[in-house]
Amino acid sequence: MNGELYISVLTLNCWGILSVSKDRYDRIQAIAKFLKTGRFDIICLQELWLENDFNVIKEEVSKVLPHSHYFHSGVLGSGLCIFSRWPFEAIIFHQWSLNGYIHKIFHGDWFGGKGVGLCRIKAQGVHVNIYTTHLHAQYNIDDDEYLAHRAVQAFDTAQFVRLTSDAAHISILAGDLNTQPEELCHQLILHTAQLFDAYDAHTDDSEIGTYACSRNSYADTKAVANNPFGERIDHIFYRAGLGAEVKLEAYLMPLEERVPDCNFSYSDHEAISAKFKVITTSNHAVPDCFIKNKEELQSTLDRGLNVLSEAQQRLYWDKICYWSVTTALILGIITISIFSDFPQNYACFYQIMLVIFTCLIIFCSFMATVWNQIELNGLLSTHKTMQALLNHVITYQSEPTNDYIIKSDDTFQNEEENQVHKRSKYTQGQEHVKMMLQEI
């Protein structure tokens, strides 16, 4: 029996960092007030680092979005949560193997224990997989030291979506991906998971980005002067599943430029929303899991493998650098202890320097051994997985074959009869050969 369901999805990075994010308390209250209007069926939020902020929104929207989940992870929590009009059937969180550096305290991504969250929903007979995530930030465009980490996260996310979406009529990935269109991580997610960008299908706001754009009060004035349209790094991707047709009805930026009666925006990011029409049918169809564009996927995987290979080379030299510094510090302490006779006045200074040198030795040793190996294993794991997928793509047939088609019971029965007939003819042929051999 055919079914039909409309789904409206919103995603927003709330910028909820304690003592860092400006106007955080007032903005969270404003976000909660806006979301409780009931305009959206599913809401994905990022950077809700304080559970109290999550509870504020949860209480406000409870009448229209009674089902919610916060994904706990890492030291600070993942900052990810999902609100839904319909109950969850299953929930899972997949944490990435690489997520920045522990000693980059002011970047802080490592402490969030970031990953991708999945909530499976059943609404009016339609199975919906809703994913939300927040990739590692790009702190320096000219020298992006986290590109390899973000590539690992993007490919890992795409693999997670690809391998968990078979049972859903529609799969939707919404969040702050920290990557713009045509960049490596954007392409890795789209082509590996065989997703569509909702923005490409409906572009009413095609000249407005979601971060550092002219309409946002928190945007850097220099960045806006160089590019008033900003960066489009928040995305909603989707794909249809078995026995379903998905139509994009609308793609919008639903928030006003300023919070009502205030001179600031809801966040330093802009929210985006998409409305989908899902039509389910009783007829089995070819699933949307075959590769739609072999050349694009192959090119993207090649780029990804090059980035990971360069990162592995960098790790090798980082390891040598850390060991060199460790050796120099140890030799320095030994030399000073043996050949230097400090006056009594400098004894305290010497003790302080000894403590500092010791701490540096421990840190460099840790980075050269434990941390270097953790990062290397994360890169190698993704490199091998990506290479395996590339090998599959190279030998892949562009058009779907009968292996991808789910057959009806009548088809299986006819095939079984054909197989019995073939086995019967094969048995008769074998007996004929045996008779000929006996005559010989």
Side-chain angles (χ1 to χ4, degrees):
M1 183 178 180
N2 295 357
E4 187 175 290
L5 177 69
Y6 287 90
I7 304 174
S8 182
V9 180
L10 175 140
T11 181
L12 172 65
N13 181 320
C14 296
W15 194 35
I17 308 173
L18 180 65
S19 303
V20 174
S21 301
K22 298 178 181 178
D23 310 308
R24 180 187 59 82
Y25 177 81
D26 293 329
R27 289 189 297 101
I28 294 298
Q29 298 290 333
I31 291 172
K33 185 177 180 180
F34 172 78
L35 296 180
K36 76 175 184 179
T37 57
R39 291 172 53 185
F40 308 100
D41 303 307
I42 299 173
I43 295 171
C44 300
L45 301 179
Q46 304 86 46
E47 284 205 24
L48 272 182
W49 298 113
L50 299 179
E51 192 170 357
N52 184 60
D53 289 345
F54 166 75
N55 290 330
V56 168
I57 298 177
K58 178 181 178 180
E59 184 177 353
E60 282 289 327
V61 304
S62 59
K63 292 183 179 180
V64 292
L65 301 169
H67 308 282
S68 61
H69 183 77
Y70 184 90
F71 296 95
H72 294 275
S73 180
V75 180
L76 303 176
S78 67
L80 304 175
C81 63
I82 294 177
F83 296 87
S84 171
R85 189 181 303 277
W86 305 290
F88 302 132
E89 283 191 320
I91 299 171
I92 188 172
F93 182 80
H94 173 64
Q95 187 172 341
W96 296 315
S97 57
L98 291 180
N99 194 23
Y101 301 105
I102 188 173
H103 63 285
K104 301 278 186 177
I105 298 175
F106 292 104
H107 291 174
D109 292 70
W110 182 87
F111 296 93
K114 289 183 176 180
V116 53
L118 162 62
C119 289
R120 178 166 292 172
I121 299 167
K122 185 178 181 180
Q124 302 175 24
V126 177
H127 294 275
V128 182
N129 274 14
I130 182 72
Y131 304 83
T132 188
T133 190
H134 182 194
L135 268 63
H136 200 295
Q138 182 182 20
Y139 292 98
N140 189 336
I141 298 177
D142 299 324
D143 183 20
D144 188 2
E145 62 179 316
Y146 297 112
L147 176 58
H149 283 218
R150 205 160 51 252
V152 169
Q153 295 173 354
F155 183 73
D156 208 10
T157 298
Q159 287 282 76
F160 183 74
V161 173
R162 187 169 70 92
L163 296 174
T164 57
S165 59
D166 287 346
H169 291 107
I170 179 173
S171 297
I172 302 170
L173 171 64
D176 177 5
L177 304 184
N178 275 312
T179 181
Q180 298 193 73
E182 305 306 324
E183 290 183 347
L184 172 62
C185 297
H186 181 275
Q187 298 296 293
L188 276 174
I189 295 175
L190 274 186
H191 296 305
T192 303
Q194 301 297 295
L195 297 166
F196 294 94
D197 192 340
Y199 176 90
D200 293 334
H202 196 89
T203 56
D204 283 351
D205 297 298
S206 57
E207 294 186 342
I208 298 295
T210 62
Y211 180 73
C213 57
S214 57
R215 60 178 280 158
N216 194 287
S217 65
Y218 299 107
D220 182 73
T221 53
K222 293 182 179 179
V224 171
N226 294 330
N227 180 18
F229 301 140
E231 304 173 2
R232 187 165 69 87
I233 59 177
D234 301 86
H235 303 276
I236 297 177
F237 298 155
Y238 69 98
R239 59 176 283 180
L242 286 172
E245 180 184 355
V246 176
K247 296 181 180 179
L248 181 64
E249 297 287 312
Y251 176 91
L252 302 169
M253 301 182 72
L255 292 178
E256 300 178 35
E257 294 188 13
R258 300 290 183 270
V259 173
D261 302 323
C262 298
N263 61 351
F264 51 81
S265 300
Y266 285 86
S267 174
D268 62 342
H269 287 244
E270 296 295 327
I272 57 174
S273 67
K275 186 176 182 180
F276 301 95
K277 180 181 180 181
V278 185
I279 304 172
T280 60
T281 65
S282 57
N283 299 323
H284 292 296
V286 178
D288 195 24
C289 62
F290 61 87
I291 299 172
K292 297 186 290 292
N293 193 323
K294 177 179 177 179
E295 290 73 22
E296 283 287 343
L297 177 55
Q298 186 172 342
S299 173
T300 301
L301 291 175
D302 281 329
R303 290 169 58 197
L305 287 170
N306 289 334
V307 169
L308 297 183
S309 297
E310 292 173 1
Q312 291 173 53
Q313 288 292 327
R314 177 181 56 79
L315 272 181
Y316 171 76
W317 292 110
D318 285 350
K319 187 174 185 177
I320 292 178
C321 180
Y322 280 121
W323 276 128
S324 299
V325 173
T326 301
T327 303
L329 289 171
I330 293 175
L331 291 176
I333 291 176
I334 294 175
T335 302
I336 294 174
S337 300
I338 295 176
F339 299 103
S340 298
D341 186 15
F342 281 93
Q344 189 67 27
N345 295 338
Y346 292 95
C348 181
F349 173 77
Y350 173 73
Q351 295 295 330
I352 293 174
M353 293 302 299
L354 185 62
V355 170
I356 293 174
F357 275 33
T358 302
C359 292
L360 288 174
I361 290 171
I362 294 173
F363 170 76
C364 290
S365 300
F366 175 79
M367 295 299 295
T369 54
V370 177
W371 193 266
N372 189 278
Q373 193 61 44
I374 290 174
E375 189 172 359
L376 180 61
N377 285 337
L379 290 171
L380 285 174
S381 175
T382 304
H383 191 283
K384 291 181 178 180
T385 308
M386 198 178 290
Q387 184 64 58
L389 180 58
L390 179 60
N391 294 339
H392 169 67
V393 171
I394 293 173
T395 59
Y396 182 82
Q397 297 180 1
S398 297
E399 296 297 327
T401 64
N402 289 336
D403 294 337
Y404 289 94
I405 300 176
I406 296 181
K407 306 173 181 66
S408 64
D409 294 339
D410 293 337
T411 306
F412 279 120
Q413 184 176 356
N414 293 335
E415 286 192 353
E416 187 176 352
E417 291 175 355
N418 291 335
Q419 292 295 333
V420 171
H421 180 64
K422 290 179 181 179
R423 285 196 295 268
S424 176
K425 292 181 65 177
Y426 176 73
T427 304
Q428 292 176 5
Q430 281 188 320
E431 293 176 354
H432 179 67
V433 172
K434 288 181 181 179
M435 291 176 62
M436 291 179 62
L437 291 174
Q438 289 175 357
E439 291 176 359
I440 295 173

